């Protein structure tokens, strides 16, 4: 969420379900899991090593950057805001004008900056695409120096807020695997199995 004033923000429809499902699946596999979460009404998984609640992209970046050195596998499923209001009003903005224009400035790309300083870590991102999915996902895999990317194409039973999803995983060694429509919990288990087979 990117604040406009003390009572308003710019956000998106992400529910956090995929990130929470991945955290739960990783705990069940015996991993020490840190979950850095933006606003979500999902139940916090039992057994986390650490839970970090953040709101804005800047807060998420700080939380990720300070923990990255100690991490073996980092999965960025968050729908991070690409832009934030250039100015945040300290008092509620009154509706005096007929048209309200809000200037936005670009947020840092957290995944890209983690990709730049990656050493021993395996880094996995998501690509949310409405068109040219494969080309865009592969472009992001390379541009952000990732080990794998999960292509997510929103539809009737897939994407934000739904209980189910499907995606294609592209890895940096040029493999791809399609995961069929299933619950976000099942997908999380299959994704981690696949990443572990490939990298650990
Ligand atoms: N991401 C990030 N920081 C941002 C924006 C995105 O770390 N400021 C991460 C997301 O968590 C995801 C990946 O980058 O793992 C791709 O996000 P996506 O929204 O698909 O693409 P963008 O890189 O933001 O590019 P665009 O919106 O132009 O498609």
């Amino acid at each position: 969420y990117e604040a406009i004033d003390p009572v308003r923000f710019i956000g998106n429809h992400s529910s956090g379900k995929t990130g929470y499902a991945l955290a739960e699946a990783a705990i069940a596999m015996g991993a020490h899991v840190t979950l850095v979460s933006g606003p979500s009404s999902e139940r916090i998984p039992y057994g986390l090593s650490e839970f970090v609640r953040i709101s804005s992209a800047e807060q998420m970046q700080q939380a990720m950057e300070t923990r990255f050195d100690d991490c073996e596998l980092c999965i960025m499923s968050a729908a991070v805001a690409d832009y934030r209001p250039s100015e945040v009003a300290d008092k509620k903005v009154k509706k005096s004008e007929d048209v309200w224009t809000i200037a936005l400035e670009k947020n840092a790309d957290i995944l890209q900056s983690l990709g730049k300083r990656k050493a021993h870590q395996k880094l996995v991102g998501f690509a949310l695409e409405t068109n040219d999915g494969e080309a865009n996902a592969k472009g992001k895999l390379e541009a952000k120096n990732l080990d794998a990317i999960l292509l997510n194409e929103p539809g009737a039973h897939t994407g934000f807020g739904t209980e189910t999803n499907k995606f294609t995983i592209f890895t940096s060694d040029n493999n791809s695997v399609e995961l069929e429509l299933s619950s976000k919990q099942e997908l999380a288990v299959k994704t981690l199995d696949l990443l572990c087979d490939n990298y650990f």
Side-chain angles (χ1 to χ4, degrees), residues 57 60 64 75-83 106-114 124-129 136 140 144 146 149-150 152 160:
M60 179 168 274
M64 299 302 293
I75 307 181
M76 275 290 301
S77 64
V80 187
D82 289 325
Y83 292 87
K106 219 176 199 172
N107 278 331
D109 189 315
I110 303 168
L111 191 57
Q112 190 153 31
S113 85
L114 296 177
V124 178
F126 276 71
L128 180 68
E129 307 294 342
N136 285 330
K140 285 176 190 174
K144 302 193 189 196
L146 308 179
I149 193 155
L150 284 75
N152 202 346
F160 285 161

Side-chain angles (χ1 to χ4, degrees), residues 62-106:
Q62 210 199 352
M64 299 302 293
E65 297 276 0
T66 52
R67 288 164 179 82
F68 193 57
D69 282 347
D70 296 331
C71 145
E72 281 175 84
L73 169 65
C74 171
I75 307 181
M76 275 290 301
S77 64
V80 187
D82 289 325
Y83 292 87
R84 65 179 181 280
S86 304
E87 281 173 24
V88 182
D90 55 3
K91 295 194 183 78
K92 183 186 170 199
V93 177
K94 291 298 195 183
K95 59 171 184 297
S96 50
E97 308 296 331
D98 285 342
V99 176
W100 180 10
T101 304
I102 300 173
L104 302 176
E105 61 189 57
K106 219 176 199 172

Side-chain angles (χ1 to χ4, degrees), residues 168-189:
T168 310
I169 305 182
F170 297 98
T171 56
S172 55
D173 53 6
N174 265 327
N175 280 328
S176 68
V177 178
E178 261 181 58
L179 297 183
E180 297 300 321
L181 187 73
S182 44
S183 73
K184 290 183 174 173
Q185 284 71 23
E186 275 175 76
L187 283 173
V189 172

Side-chain angles (χ1 to χ4, degrees), residues 17-18 21 30 40 42 44 58 62 69 88 133 156 167 172 181 192:
K17 284 183 198 297
T18 294
S40 169
E42 290 298 294
I44 298 169
E58 197 181 352
Q62 210 199 352
D69 282 347
V88 182
F167 37 67
S172 55
L181 187 73
L192 289 176

